Every structure is written in C-alpha cells, then in structure tokens.
Coordinates of all heavy atoms in Angstrom, one line a residue:
M1 N -21.4 0.0 3.2 CA -21.1 1.3 2.8 C -19.7 1.4 2.2 O -18.7 0.9 2.8 CB -21.2 2.3 3.9 CG -20.9 3.7 3.6 SD -22.0 4.8 4.6 CE -21.8 6.2 3.6
R2 N -19.5 2.0 1.0 CA -18.2 2.1 0.4 C -17.5 3.3 0.9 O -18.1 4.4 1.2 CB -18.4 2.1 -1.1 CG -19.0 0.8 -1.6 CD -19.3 0.9 -3.1 NE -18.2 1.0 -3.9 CZ -17.4 0.0 -4.3 NH1 -17.6 -1.2 -3.9 NH2 -16.4 0.2 -5.1
E3 N -16.2 3.2 1.0 CA -15.3 4.3 1.4 C -14.2 4.4 0.4 O -13.8 3.5 -0.2 CB -14.8 3.9 2.8 CG -13.9 5.0 3.4 CD -13.4 4.6 4.8 OE1 -13.8 3.6 5.4 OE2 -12.6 5.4 5.3
T4 N -13.7 5.6 0.3 CA -12.6 5.9 -0.5 C -11.3 5.8 0.3 O -11.1 6.4 1.3 CB -12.6 7.3 -1.2 OG1 -13.8 7.4 -1.9 CG2 -11.4 7.6 -2.1
F5 N -10.4 4.9 -0.2 CA -9.1 4.8 0.4 C -8.0 5.3 -0.6 O -8.2 5.2 -1.8 CB -8.8 3.3 0.7 CG -9.7 2.7 1.7 CD1 -10.8 2.0 1.3 CD2 -9.4 2.8 3.0 CE1 -11.6 1.4 2.3 CE2 -10.2 2.3 4.0 CZ -11.3 1.6 3.6
H6 N -6.9 5.8 -0.1 CA -5.9 6.3 -1.0 C -4.7 5.4 -0.7 O -4.2 5.2 0.4 CB -5.5 7.8 -0.6 CG -6.7 8.7 -0.7 ND1 -7.2 9.1 -1.9 CD2 -7.5 9.2 0.2 CE1 -8.3 9.8 -1.7 NE2 -8.5 9.9 -0.4
I7 N -4.2 4.8 -1.8 CA -3.1 3.9 -1.8 C -1.8 4.6 -2.3 O -1.9 5.2 -3.4 CB -3.4 2.7 -2.6 CG1 -4.6 2.0 -2.1 CG2 -2.2 1.7 -2.6 CD1 -5.1 0.9 -3.0
E8 N -0.8 4.6 -1.5 CA 0.5 5.2 -1.9 C 1.6 4.1 -1.9 O 1.8 3.4 -0.9 CB 0.9 6.3 -1.0 CG 0.0 7.5 -1.1 CD 0.5 8.7 -0.3 OE1 1.6 8.6 0.4 OE2 -0.1 9.8 -0.3
I9 N 2.3 4.0 -3.1 CA 3.5 3.2 -3.1 C 4.7 4.2 -2.9 O 4.8 5.2 -3.6 CB 3.6 2.6 -4.5 CG1 2.4 1.8 -4.9 CG2 4.9 1.7 -4.6 CD1 2.1 0.6 -4.1
V10 N 5.5 3.9 -1.9 CA 6.6 4.8 -1.6 C 7.9 4.2 -1.8 O 8.1 3.0 -1.7 CB 6.5 5.3 -0.1 CG1 5.2 6.2 0.0 CG2 6.5 4.2 0.8
G11 N 8.9 5.0 -2.1 CA 10.3 4.6 -2.4 C 11.1 5.0 -1.2 O 10.6 5.2 -0.1
P12 N 12.4 5.1 -1.4 CA 13.4 5.4 -0.4 C 13.0 6.7 0.3 O 12.5 7.6 -0.3 CB 14.7 5.5 -1.1 CG 14.5 4.7 -2.4 CD 13.1 4.8 -2.7
E13 N 13.2 6.7 1.6 CA 12.9 7.9 2.4 C 11.5 8.4 2.4 O 11.1 9.5 2.7 CB 13.8 9.1 2.0 CG 15.3 8.7 2.2 CD 16.2 9.8 1.7 OE1 15.8 10.9 1.5 OE2 17.4 9.5 1.4
G14 N 10.5 7.5 2.0 CA 9.1 7.8 2.1 C 8.6 8.6 0.9 O 7.5 9.1 1.0
A15 N 9.4 8.8 -0.1 CA 9.0 9.6 -1.3 C 7.9 8.9 -2.1 O 8.2 7.7 -2.5 CB 10.2 10.0 -2.1
P16 N 6.8 9.4 -2.3 CA 5.7 8.7 -3.1 C 6.2 8.5 -4.5 O 6.8 9.3 -5.2 CB 4.6 9.7 -3.1 CG 4.8 10.6 -2.0 CD 6.3 10.7 -1.8
V17 N 6.0 7.2 -5.0 CA 6.3 6.9 -6.3 C 5.0 6.7 -7.2 O 5.0 7.1 -8.4 CB 7.1 5.5 -6.4 CG1 7.3 5.0 -7.8 CG2 8.4 5.6 -5.6
Q18 N 4.0 6.3 -6.6 CA 2.7 6.1 -7.2 C 1.6 6.3 -6.3 O 1.7 5.9 -5.1 CB 2.6 4.7 -7.8 CG 1.4 4.3 -8.5 CD 1.4 2.8 -9.0 OE1 2.4 2.1 -8.9 NE2 0.3 2.4 -9.6
R19 N 0.5 6.9 -6.7 CA -0.7 7.1 -5.9 C -2.0 6.6 -6.7 O -2.0 6.8 -7.9 CB -0.9 8.6 -5.6 CG 0.1 9.1 -4.6 CD -0.1 10.5 -4.3 NE 0.8 11.0 -3.3 CZ 1.3 12.2 -3.3 NH1 1.0 13.1 -4.2 NH2 2.2 12.5 -2.3
A20 N -2.9 6.1 -5.9 CA -4.2 5.7 -6.5 C -5.3 5.8 -5.5 O -5.0 5.7 -4.3 CB -4.1 4.2 -7.0
S21 N -6.5 6.1 -5.9 CA -7.7 6.1 -5.1 C -8.5 4.9 -5.4 O -8.6 4.5 -6.5 CB -8.5 7.4 -5.3 OG -7.8 8.5 -4.9
Y22 N -9.1 4.3 -4.4 CA -9.8 3.1 -4.5 C -11.0 3.1 -3.6 O -10.9 3.3 -2.4 CB -8.9 1.9 -4.2 CG -9.5 0.5 -4.3 CD1 -9.7 0.0 -5.6 CD2 -9.7 -0.3 -3.3 CE1 -10.3 -1.2 -5.8 CE2 -10.3 -1.5 -3.4 CZ -10.5 -2.0 -4.7 OH -11.1 -3.2 -4.9
R23 N -12.2 2.8 -4.2 CA -13.4 2.7 -3.4 C -13.7 1.3 -3.1 O -13.7 0.4 -4.0 CB -14.6 3.3 -4.2 CG -14.4 4.9 -4.3 CD -15.6 5.6 -4.8 NE -16.9 5.2 -4.2 CZ -17.4 5.8 -3.1 NH1 -16.7 6.7 -2.5 NH2 -18.6 5.4 -2.7
A24 N -13.9 1.0 -1.8 CA -14.1 -0.4 -1.4 C -15.1 -0.4 -0.2 O -15.2 0.6 0.5 CB -12.8 -1.0 -1.0
G25 N -15.7 -1.5 0.0 CA -16.6 -1.7 1.1 C -15.9 -2.0 2.4 O -16.5 -1.9 3.5
S26 N -14.6 -2.3 2.4 CA -13.9 -2.6 3.6 C -12.4 -2.4 3.5 O -11.9 -2.3 2.3 CB -14.1 -4.1 4.0 OG -13.4 -4.9 3.1
L27 N -11.7 -2.3 4.6 CA -10.3 -2.1 4.6 C -9.6 -3.3 4.0 O -8.6 -3.2 3.3 CB -9.8 -1.8 6.0 CG -8.3 -1.7 6.1 CD1 -7.7 -0.5 5.3 CD2 -7.9 -1.4 7.6
D28 N -10.2 -4.5 4.3 CA -9.6 -5.7 3.7 C -9.5 -5.7 2.2 O -8.5 -6.2 1.6 CB -10.3 -7.0 4.3 CG -10.1 -7.2 5.7 OD1 -9.0 -6.8 6.2 OD2 -10.9 -7.8 6.4
A29 N -10.6 -5.3 1.6 CA -10.6 -5.2 0.1 C -9.6 -4.2 -0.4 O -8.8 -4.5 -1.4 CB -12.0 -4.8 -0.4
A30 N -9.4 -3.1 0.3 CA -8.4 -2.1 -0.1 C -7.0 -2.6 0.1 O -6.1 -2.4 -0.7 CB -8.6 -0.8 0.7
R31 N -6.8 -3.4 1.2 CA -5.5 -4.0 1.5 C -5.1 -5.0 0.4 O -4.0 -5.0 -0.1 CB -5.6 -4.7 2.8 CG -4.2 -5.3 3.2 CD -4.3 -6.0 4.6 NE -5.3 -7.1 4.6 CZ -5.0 -8.3 4.1 NH1 -3.9 -8.6 3.6 NH2 -6.0 -9.3 4.1
E32 N -6.1 -5.8 -0.1 CA -5.7 -6.7 -1.1 C -5.3 -6.0 -2.4 O -4.4 -6.4 -3.1 CB -7.0 -7.6 -1.4 CG -7.2 -8.6 -0.4 CD -8.5 -9.5 -0.6 OE1 -8.9 -9.5 -1.8 OE2 -9.0 -10.0 0.3
R33 N -6.0 -4.9 -2.7 CA -5.7 -4.1 -3.9 C -4.3 -3.5 -3.8 O -3.5 -3.5 -4.7 CB -6.8 -3.1 -4.1 CG -6.5 -2.1 -5.2 CD -6.6 -2.8 -6.6 NE -6.4 -1.8 -7.6 CZ -6.1 -2.0 -8.8 NH1 -5.9 -3.3 -9.2 NH2 -5.9 -1.1 -9.7
A34 N -4.1 -3.0 -2.6 CA -2.8 -2.3 -2.3 C -1.6 -3.3 -2.5 O -0.6 -3.0 -3.0 CB -2.8 -1.7 -0.9
L35 N -1.8 -4.5 -1.9 CA -0.7 -5.5 -2.0 C -0.5 -5.9 -3.5 O 0.6 -6.2 -3.9 CB -1.0 -6.7 -1.1 CG -0.9 -6.3 0.4 CD1 -1.4 -7.6 1.2 CD2 0.4 -5.9 0.8
R36 N -1.6 -6.0 -4.3 CA -1.4 -6.3 -5.7 C -0.6 -5.2 -6.4 O 0.3 -5.5 -7.2 CB -2.7 -6.5 -6.4 CG -3.3 -7.9 -6.1 CD -4.5 -8.2 -7.1 NE -5.5 -7.2 -7.2 CZ -6.6 -7.1 -6.5 NH1 -6.9 -8.1 -5.6 NH2 -7.5 -6.2 -6.7
L37 N -1.0 -3.9 -6.1 CA -0.2 -2.8 -6.7 C 1.2 -2.8 -6.3 O 2.1 -2.5 -7.1 CB -0.9 -1.5 -6.3 CG -2.2 -1.2 -7.0 CD1 -2.8 0.1 -6.4 CD2 -2.1 -1.0 -8.5
F38 N 1.5 -3.1 -5.0 CA 2.8 -3.2 -4.5 C 3.7 -4.3 -5.2 O 4.8 -4.0 -5.6 CB 2.8 -3.4 -3.0 CG 4.1 -3.4 -2.3 CD1 4.9 -2.3 -2.4 CD2 4.5 -4.5 -1.5 CE1 6.1 -2.3 -1.7 CE2 5.7 -4.4 -0.8 CZ 6.5 -3.3 -0.9
A39 N 3.1 -5.4 -5.4 CA 3.8 -6.5 -6.1 C 4.1 -6.1 -7.5 O 5.2 -6.4 -8.0 CB 2.9 -7.8 -6.0
R40 N 3.1 -5.5 -8.2 CA 3.3 -5.1 -9.6 C 4.4 -4.0 -9.7 O 5.2 -4.0 -10.6 CB 2.1 -4.5 -10.1 CG 2.1 -4.3 -11.6 CD 0.9 -3.8 -12.3 NE -0.3 -4.6 -11.8 CZ -1.5 -4.1 -11.7 NH1 -1.7 -2.8 -11.9 NH2 -2.5 -4.9 -11.3
A41 N 4.5 -3.1 -8.7 CA 5.5 -2.1 -8.7 C 6.9 -2.6 -8.4 O 7.9 -1.9 -8.7 CB 5.2 -1.0 -7.7
R42 N 7.0 -3.8 -7.9 CA 8.3 -4.4 -7.6 C 8.9 -5.4 -8.6 O 10.0 -5.9 -8.4 CB 8.2 -5.1 -6.2 CG 8.0 -4.1 -5.1 CD 8.0 -4.7 -3.7 NE 9.3 -5.3 -3.5 CZ 9.5 -6.4 -2.9 NH1 8.5 -7.1 -2.5 NH2 10.8 -6.9 -2.7
V43 N 8.2 -5.6 -9.7 CA 8.7 -6.5 -10.7 C 10.0 -6.0 -11.3 O 10.2 -4.8 -11.4 CB 7.7 -6.8 -11.8 CG1 6.4 -7.5 -11.3 CG2 7.3 -5.6 -12.6
P44 N 10.9 -6.9 -11.6 CA 12.2 -6.5 -12.1 C 12.2 -5.7 -13.4 O 13.1 -4.9 -13.6 CB 13.0 -7.8 -12.3 CG 12.2 -8.8 -11.6 CD 10.8 -8.4 -11.4
Q45 N 11.2 -5.9 -14.2 CA 11.1 -5.2 -15.5 C 10.7 -3.7 -15.4 O 10.9 -2.9 -16.3 CB 10.1 -5.9 -16.5 CG 10.4 -7.3 -16.7 CD 9.7 -8.2 -15.8 OE1 9.4 -7.9 -14.6 NE2 9.5 -9.5 -16.2
R46 N 10.2 -3.3 -14.2 CA 9.7 -2.0 -14.0 C 10.8 -1.0 -13.9 O 11.8 -1.2 -13.2 CB 8.8 -1.9 -12.8 CG 8.2 -0.6 -12.5 CD 7.4 -0.6 -11.2 NE 6.9 0.7 -10.9 CZ 7.6 1.7 -10.4 NH1 8.8 1.5 -10.0 NH2 7.0 2.8 -10.1
G47 N 10.7 0.1 -14.6 CA 11.7 1.2 -14.5 C 11.3 2.1 -13.4 O 10.3 2.0 -12.8
G48 N 12.2 3.0 -13.1 CA 11.9 4.0 -12.1 C 12.6 3.7 -10.8 O 13.3 2.7 -10.6
P49 N 12.3 4.5 -9.7 CA 12.9 4.3 -8.5 C 12.4 3.0 -7.8 O 11.3 2.6 -8.0 CB 12.5 5.5 -7.6 CG 11.3 6.0 -8.3 CD 11.4 5.6 -9.7
P50 N 13.3 2.4 -6.9 CA 12.8 1.2 -6.2 C 11.7 1.6 -5.2 O 11.6 2.7 -4.7 CB 14.1 0.8 -5.4 CG 14.9 2.0 -5.3 CD 14.6 2.9 -6.5
V51 N 10.9 0.6 -5.0 CA 9.8 0.8 -4.0 C 10.1 0.1 -2.7 O 10.7 -1.0 -2.7 CB 8.4 0.4 -4.6 CG1 8.1 1.3 -5.8 CG2 8.3 -1.0 -5.0
E52 N 9.6 0.6 -1.6 CA 9.9 0.0 -0.3 C 8.7 -0.3 0.5 O 8.7 -1.1 1.4 CB 10.8 0.9 0.5 CG 12.2 1.0 -0.1 CD 13.2 1.8 0.8 OE1 12.8 2.3 1.9 OE2 14.4 1.9 0.4
A53 N 7.6 0.4 0.3 CA 6.4 0.2 1.1 C 5.1 0.6 0.4 O 5.2 1.4 -0.6 CB 6.5 1.0 2.4
V54 N 4.0 0.2 0.9 CA 2.7 0.6 0.4 C 1.9 1.1 1.7 O 2.0 0.5 2.7 CB 2.0 -0.5 -0.3 CG1 1.7 -1.7 0.6 CG2 0.7 0.0 -0.9
L55 N 1.2 2.2 1.5 CA 0.4 2.8 2.6 C -1.0 2.9 2.1 O -1.3 3.1 1.0 CB 0.9 4.2 2.9 CG 2.3 4.5 3.1 CD1 2.5 6.0 3.2 CD2 2.9 3.8 4.3
I56 N -1.9 2.7 3.1 CA -3.3 3.0 2.8 C -3.8 4.1 3.7 O -3.6 4.0 5.0 CB -4.2 1.8 3.0 CG1 -3.8 0.6 2.0 CG2 -5.7 2.1 2.8 CD1 -4.6 -0.6 2.2
L57 N -4.3 5.1 3.2 CA -4.9 6.3 4.0 C -6.4 6.3 3.8 O -6.9 6.0 2.7 CB -4.3 7.6 3.4 CG -2.8 7.7 3.3 CD1 -2.4 9.0 2.6 CD2 -2.1 7.6 4.6
D58 N -7.1 6.5 4.9 CA -8.5 6.6 4.8 C -8.9 8.0 4.2 O -8.0 8.8 3.8 CB -9.2 6.4 6.1 CG -8.9 7.4 7.2 OD1 -8.3 8.5 6.9 OD2 -9.3 7.2 8.3
G59 N -10.2 8.3 4.0 CA -10.7 9.5 3.4 C -10.2 10.7 4.2 O -10.1 11.8 3.6
A60 N -9.9 10.6 5.4 CA -9.5 11.8 6.2 C -7.9 12.0 6.2 O -7.4 12.9 6.8 CB -9.9 11.6 7.7
G61 N -7.2 11.0 5.5 CA -5.8 11.1 5.4 C -5.0 10.4 6.5 O -3.8 10.6 6.6
T62 N -5.7 9.6 7.3 CA -5.1 8.9 8.4 C -4.6 7.6 7.9 O -5.3 6.8 7.2 CB -6.1 8.7 9.5 OG1 -6.6 9.9 10.0 CG2 -5.4 8.0 10.7
E63 N -3.3 7.3 8.2 CA -2.8 6.0 7.7 C -3.4 4.9 8.5 O -3.5 4.8 9.7 CB -1.2 6.0 8.0 CG -0.6 4.7 7.5 CD 0.9 4.7 7.8 OE1 1.6 5.7 7.3 OE2 1.4 3.8 8.4
V64 N -4.0 3.9 7.7 CA -4.7 2.8 8.4 C -4.0 1.4 8.1 O -4.4 0.4 8.7 CB -6.2 2.7 7.9 CG1 -6.9 3.9 8.5 CG2 -6.3 2.6 6.4
F65 N -3.0 1.4 7.2 CA -2.3 0.2 6.9 C -1.0 0.5 6.3 O -0.9 1.5 5.5 CB -3.1 -0.7 5.9 CG -2.4 -2.0 5.5 CD1 -2.5 -3.1 6.3 CD2 -1.8 -2.1 4.3 CE1 -1.8 -4.3 5.9 CE2 -1.2 -3.2 3.9 CZ -1.2 -4.3 4.7
R66 N 0.0 -0.3 6.6 CA 1.4 -0.1 6.0 C 2.0 -1.5 5.8 O 1.9 -2.3 6.7 CB 2.3 0.7 6.9 CG 3.7 0.8 6.4 CD 4.6 1.5 7.4 NE 4.4 3.0 7.3 CZ 5.1 3.8 6.6 NH1 6.0 3.4 5.9 NH2 4.8 5.1 6.6
W67 N 2.6 -1.7 4.7 CA 3.3 -3.0 4.4 C 4.6 -2.6 3.7 O 4.6 -1.8 2.8 CB 2.5 -3.9 3.5 CG 3.1 -5.2 3.2 CD1 3.9 -5.5 2.1 CD2 3.1 -6.3 4.0 NE1 4.3 -6.8 2.2 CE2 3.8 -7.3 3.4 CE3 2.5 -6.6 5.2 CZ2 4.0 -8.6 3.9 CZ3 2.6 -7.9 5.8 CH2 3.4 -8.9 5.1
S68 N 5.7 -3.1 4.2 CA 7.0 -2.8 3.6 C 7.8 -4.0 3.2 O 7.3 -5.1 3.5 CB 7.9 -2.0 4.6 OG 8.4 -2.8 5.6
I69 N 8.8 -3.8 2.4 CA 9.6 -5.0 2.0 C 10.2 -5.7 3.2 O 10.5 -6.9 3.1 CB 10.8 -4.5 1.0 CG1 11.7 -3.5 1.7 CG2 10.2 -4.0 -0.3 CD1 12.9 -3.1 0.8
W70 N 10.3 -5.1 4.3 CA 10.9 -5.8 5.5 C 9.8 -6.6 6.2 O 10.1 -7.4 7.1 CB 11.5 -4.7 6.4 CG 12.6 -4.1 5.8 CD1 13.9 -4.5 5.6 CD2 12.6 -2.8 5.1 NE1 14.7 -3.7 4.9 CE2 13.9 -2.6 4.6 CE3 11.6 -1.8 4.9 CZ2 14.2 -1.4 3.9 CZ3 12.0 -0.7 4.2 CH2 13.3 -0.5 3.7
D71 N 8.5 -6.4 5.9 CA 7.5 -7.2 6.5 C 7.3 -8.5 5.9 O 6.7 -9.4 6.5 CB 6.1 -6.4 6.5 CG 6.1 -5.2 7.4 OD1 6.7 -5.3 8.4 OD2 5.5 -4.2 7.0
E72 N 7.8 -8.7 4.7 CA 7.6 -9.9 3.9 C 8.3 -11.1 4.6 O 9.5 -10.9 5.0 CB 8.1 -9.8 2.5 CG 7.2 -8.8 1.7 CD 7.6 -8.6 0.3 OE1 8.7 -9.1 -0.1 OE2 6.9 -8.0 -0.4
G73 N 7.7 -12.2 4.8 CA 8.3 -13.3 5.4 C 8.3 -13.3 6.9 O 8.7 -14.2 7.5
T74 N 7.7 -12.3 7.5 CA 7.7 -12.2 9.0 C 6.5 -12.8 9.6 O 6.4 -13.0 10.8 CB 7.9 -10.7 9.5 OG1 6.7 -10.0 9.0 CG2 9.1 -10.1 9.0
G75 N 5.4 -12.9 8.7 CA 4.2 -13.4 9.2 C 3.4 -12.4 10.0 O 2.4 -12.7 10.6
Q76 N 3.8 -11.1 10.0 CA 3.1 -10.1 10.8 C 1.8 -9.7 10.1 O 0.9 -9.2 10.8 CB 4.0 -8.9 11.0 CG 5.2 -9.2 11.9 CD 6.0 -7.9 12.1 OE1 5.6 -6.8 11.7 NE2 7.2 -8.1 12.6
G77 N 1.7 -9.8 8.8 CA 0.5 -9.4 8.1 C 0.4 -7.9 7.9 O -0.7 -7.4 7.7
G78 N 1.4 -7.1 8.1 CA 1.3 -5.7 7.9 C 0.9 -5.0 9.3 O 0.5 -5.7 10.2
R79 N 1.1 -3.8 9.3 CA 0.8 -3.0 10.5 C -0.4 -2.2 10.3 O -0.5 -1.4 9.4 CB 2.0 -2.1 10.9 CG 3.2 -2.9 11.3 CD 4.3 -2.0 11.7 NE 4.7 -1.2 10.5 CZ 5.8 -1.4 9.8 NH1 6.6 -2.4 10.1 NH2 6.1 -0.6 8.8
R80 N -1.4 -2.4 11.1 CA -2.6 -1.6 11.1 C -2.5 -0.5 12.2 O -2.1 -0.8 13.3 CB -3.9 -2.4 11.3 CG -4.1 -3.3 10.1 CD -5.4 -4.1 10.3 NE -5.5 -5.1 9.3 CZ -6.7 -5.5 8.8 NH1 -7.8 -5.0 9.3 NH2 -6.7 -6.3 7.9
R81 N -3.0 0.6 11.9 CA -2.9 1.7 12.8 C -4.2 1.9 13.5 O -5.3 1.7 13.0 CB -2.5 3.0 12.1 CG -1.2 2.8 11.3 CD -0.1 3.6 11.9 NE 1.0 3.3 11.1 CZ 2.2 3.2 11.6 NH1 2.4 3.2 12.8 NH2 3.2 3.0 10.8

C-alpha cells in the first residue's frame, strides 16, 4: 500500500527551505528520496540559505525520520521516531 510522505529540507533554526510530497510503498523508499534531495540541496553551486537537515513526515504530520549534517559520518543512519 502506498503512503504519502512529506519531505522537508530545513535550514538554520529549523526554517523550511524546500518541501516536497512523495508517494512510496515504504518509509525506506521515502528515506532514499529524502537523502537524494538533501544531497542535491547541499551542492556548492546552489544558491539560497544553507541547509542543515531533512525531515520526513507521514500523512498525519508526525515526524518519522530526521537526518542532519551532524549525523553524517557517525554511522547512526538517521534517527527514526
């Protein structure tokens, strides 16, 4: 069964920089998409405010995944709620 996930790229102090809705069959598929969007938002050529984290919200608006610039290299794999 497919579910709608809301992906938010956030900047300093949690201010949303970019939002996208994504329909996927699982949270893992949505997580892969969110991490690709996060990587694209962090390229040096991109203009706009710096990005610090990516969030995934389920259809009810509950945060189900978060990945930040401080999680990279820690081997934690992000925080699931």
Side-chain angles (χ1 to χ4, degrees):
M1 175 146 202
R2 296 176 65 84
E3 183 177 352
T4 300
F5 294 96
H6 305 284
I7 300 170
E8 292 189 357
I9 307 293
V10 296
E13 301 176 20
V17 174
Q18 179 181 357
R19 291 183 174 142
S21 293
Y22 182 68
R23 288 191 50 86
S26 69
L27 177 59
D28 288 334
R31 182 181 59 82
E32 289 176 22
R33 175 69 174 158
L35 291 175
R36 282 196 309 266
L37 288 173
F38 184 56
R40 190 178 313 147
R42 295 185 61 220
V43 296
Q45 302 90 336
R46 183 182 176 279
V51 297
E52 293 185 358
V54 63
L55 314 172
I56 299 178
L57 309 172
D58 65 10
T62 303
E63 184 179 304
V64 293
F65 178 80
R66 172 186 287 265
W67 182 264
S68 74
I69 57 175
W70 297 281
D71 291 325
E72 294 180 349
T74 63
Q76 292 180 11
R79 295 182 295 256
R80 290 183 188 211
R81 307 247 179 219

